[in-house]
Amino acid sequence: MNKNVCKQFDCSSLLEEISDAVENREAVSSLLHLEGEVSSKMATELHEAIFMAKQQRHKNLFLNYRNLNNFPVELLKDEGLQFLERLYMKRNSLTTLPDNLAQKLPNLIELYLHSNNIVIIPEAIGNLARLQSLDLSNNALQLLCPEIGRLRSLRHLRLSNNQLKCLPPEIGDLQELETLDVSMNQLMSLPDRLHRCHSLQNLTADHNLLSHIPRQLCWLHRLNQLSMAANRLTFLPLDLGRSRELQFVFVDNNVDLKGLPSYLYNKVIGCSGCGVSSHVLEGEWGEVLGEALSEALVGLPAEVKVVGSETDNVVPLEELSMRTLHRLYHHRPTDLNLLPPITLPKSLLDLLQFPLGHCHRCSQSMFTIIYPKLFPLRETALAGVHRRTTVSFVAYCCSSHCLRTFNLQG
């Protein structure tokens, strides 16, 4: 009797398993069929969108959210879309771009490739002579080809949230560039030639590994907003904020940064989370200057050979010589490279072209010496605005006289 019951139980269990398996197979089959229908429908819609764009000579083509793994071949057939000016391909799964993109879409002005899986862009990207806006944000870029510098019409370049560790120097060849966003990458430095982007107005480099800002950026006289939040900055260029055009500077959450150039006092600044760590300038200067000023000068440029004080009434001969040479060369209408050779180290010759900074009191160029004066932010009128910071404003002067007479509030 028990054996018969067991046999019946085993049979019924087996039948249930078979039934479940059949149902699961049918469900999987239904899902695969549905997925196939969706893919087929999307392919049809893609074909129709491109066909209509060709037939009606559309200037704008929207191919966002199309689940594309490859660049549509329909866009590259025959003569391509010679009239297309704006191509939107955001949130697909593209991994690269075709080499003949510029040949088939020669009149592209704007190309939006936000949120794909692009690892590399071809050298031929430089052939898009009319391109003004390129968005490669939220991809997997590890390298940016030098040919990007050939996009001489480019005004907006967005590269945020990639895996870039460096930028090619050729970015400095983008004379028309107005917006550059390289935030959320792995950059440890910015190209020195970036100062050649004379049209640059907005530079964003938040959430990288930057330890310094090239002082040459202070020569970007159209720069209106600079954002370097959440990096590893310890020191800011002496002239940062000297340009009247620069109105917004954000350096929040740079924990080792304790000194802000006094030029920034009348700007809109973000500095919360700065100065959290405790580092003191090493060596003899740290002992002479005192802890507060020493902390504000951590990361001081290597070109600084002397840190002066109110009691130092004699400017070193090397500094006086550099100031004299700078005045001589600065007022001559020619390039430094065309002038007779000077028996100075290359580092000093570079300083002649890009001084360490300018006196915050009288605008005298400075090269190897600074006279710093500290103004803790908590003791200024901005104390109520910036509560989560321990930074100080630092006035960098050219002599003990300017140091004594400098007034932060004018």
Side-chain angles (χ1 to χ4, degrees):
M1 181 69 179
N2 291 335
K3 290 183 179 179
N4 293 334
V5 172
C6 288
K7 287 181 179 179
Q8 291 177 2
F9 179 77
D10 291 342
C11 289
S12 61
S13 297
L14 182 60
L15 288 173
E16 288 180 4
E17 290 180 6
I18 293 173
S19 177
D20 290 343
V22 171
E23 289 180 1
N24 289 336
R25 180 177 293 181
E26 291 177 351
V28 170
S29 178
S30 298
L31 287 174
L32 290 174
H33 179 70
L34 181 60
E35 184 179 348
E37 287 184 347
V38 171
S39 297
S40 177
K41 182 178 180 181
M42 291 182 69
T44 301
E45 291 177 351
L46 175 66
H47 177 77
E48 291 177 352
I50 296 175
F51 178 78
M52 290 293 293
K54 284 186 175 182
Q55 290 295 313
Q56 300 182 14
R57 304 178 68 83
H58 290 172
K59 292 186 176 182
N60 304 325
L61 180 57
F62 296 87
L63 300 179
N64 303 321
Y65 300 94
R66 299 281 183 167
N67 199 29
L68 297 172
N69 294 313
N70 298 296
F71 202 87
V73 293
E74 291 90 344
L75 288 175
L76 308 173
K77 286 182 178 179
D78 303 323
E79 64 175 13
L81 279 74
Q82 302 286 319
F83 39 82
L84 193 67
E85 295 182 352
R86 296 171 184 84
L87 177 58
Y88 300 82
M89 300 186 71
K90 297 188 291 186
R91 296 196 178 276
N92 284 289
S93 299
L94 301 176
T95 57
T96 187
L97 299 176
D99 290 328
N100 60 346
L101 181 64
Q103 178 184 352
K104 299 299 182 179
L105 307 175
N107 291 307
L108 272 185
I109 294 176
E110 298 175 9
L111 178 58
Y112 298 96
L113 299 164
H114 184 285
S115 299
N116 279 275
N117 296 318
I118 298 175
V119 177
I120 189 170
I121 55 175
E123 297 176 357
I125 191 75
N127 296 327
L128 289 168
R130 297 191 61 199
L131 196 65
Q132 295 181 14
S133 184
L134 176 60
D135 189 350
L136 287 162
S137 302
N138 288 75
N139 277 280
L141 286 173
Q142 298 182 14
L143 188 67
L144 197 61
C145 62
E147 284 71 20
I148 199 79
R150 291 166 48 198
L151 298 174
R152 301 303 171 86
S153 300
L154 197 64
R155 293 185 178 181
H156 308 285
L157 178 58
R158 295 178 174 86
L159 301 167
S160 64
N161 200 16
N162 279 280
Q163 301 170 29
L164 296 170
K165 295 183 178 179
C166 64
L167 298 175
E170 287 77 9
I171 276 192
D173 298 331
L174 302 176
Q175 300 288 311
E176 301 299 322
L177 193 65
E178 298 175 3
T179 303
L180 176 61
D181 186 353
V182 292
S183 57
M184 291 182 286
N185 279 282
Q186 302 169 28
L187 299 175
M188 301 184 70
S189 64
L190 296 175
D192 288 339
R193 283 168 55 180
L194 194 59
H195 73 276
R196 297 184 183 180
C197 299
H198 302 298
S199 301
L200 195 61
Q201 299 175 19
N202 191 324
L203 173 57
T204 305
D206 301 334
H207 295 275
N208 278 282
L209 306 174
L210 300 172
S211 59
H212 73 285
I213 300 175
R215 67 173 181 272
Q216 290 89 341
L217 292 188
C218 298
W219 270 258
L220 290 171
H221 297 301
R222 294 187 183 179
L223 190 65
N224 178 257
Q225 178 170 313
L226 175 66
S227 189
M228 297 276 183
N231 277 279
R232 298 178 178 178
L233 299 177
T234 59
F235 190 85
L236 298 179
L238 278 63
D239 277 352
L240 188 64
R242 185 168 183 253
S243 168
R244 293 184 178 180
E245 194 64 31
L246 184 61
Q247 293 296 318
F248 305 91
V249 176
F250 303 104
V251 290
D252 307 79
N253 298 317
N254 283 278
V255 297
D256 294 327
L257 181 64
K258 289 204 170 186
L260 305 177
S262 66
Y263 285 128
L264 297 178
Y265 182 69
N266 292 316
K267 311 288 185 177
V268 177
I269 58 174
C271 57
S272 62
C274 290
V276 176
S277 68
S278 181
H279 289 285
V280 179
L281 198 64
E282 297 179 357
E284 182 181 348
W285 288 348
E287 299 175 5
V288 174
L289 298 173
E291 184 175 343
L293 183 54
S294 175
E295 286 186 342
L297 296 181
V298 168
L300 201 61
E303 292 87 350
V304 178
K305 297 182 178 181
V306 180
V307 178
S309 66
E310 289 188 15
T311 59
D312 299 331
N313 295 318
V314 178
V315 177
L317 180 60
E318 181 181 25
E319 177 70 15
L320 291 175
S321 301
M322 291 295 293
R323 293 179 186 181
T324 301
L325 281 172
H326 183 261
R327 281 194 294 270
L328 173 65
Y329 282 76
H330 182 69
H331 293 294
R332 291 182 62 171
T334 183
D335 190 278
L336 285 176
N337 297 325
L338 303 179
L339 293 172
I342 306 175
T343 55
L344 286 175
K346 183 180 184 302
S347 59
L348 293 182
L349 286 174
D350 291 340
L351 270 175
L352 281 177
Q353 187 167 7
F354 297 106
L356 191 63
H358 294 79
C359 178
H360 293 198
R361 172 70 174 81
C362 71
S363 295
Q364 165 69 53
S365 299
M366 298 181 293
F367 301 90
T368 63
I369 185 172
I370 59 170
Y371 294 78
K373 189 172 185 177
L374 197 70
F375 297 88
L377 189 149
R378 64 178 179 274
E379 298 176 9
T380 70
L382 299 179
V385 179
H386 303 280
R387 299 179 184 275
R388 290 184 56 248
T389 183
T390 58
V391 301
S392 299
F393 290 103
V394 183
Y396 298 99
C397 300
C398 67
S399 67
S400 57
H401 170 73
C402 286
L403 183 65
R404 288 190 296 268
T405 56
F406 180 87
N407 185 353
L408 182 63
Q409 301 181 21

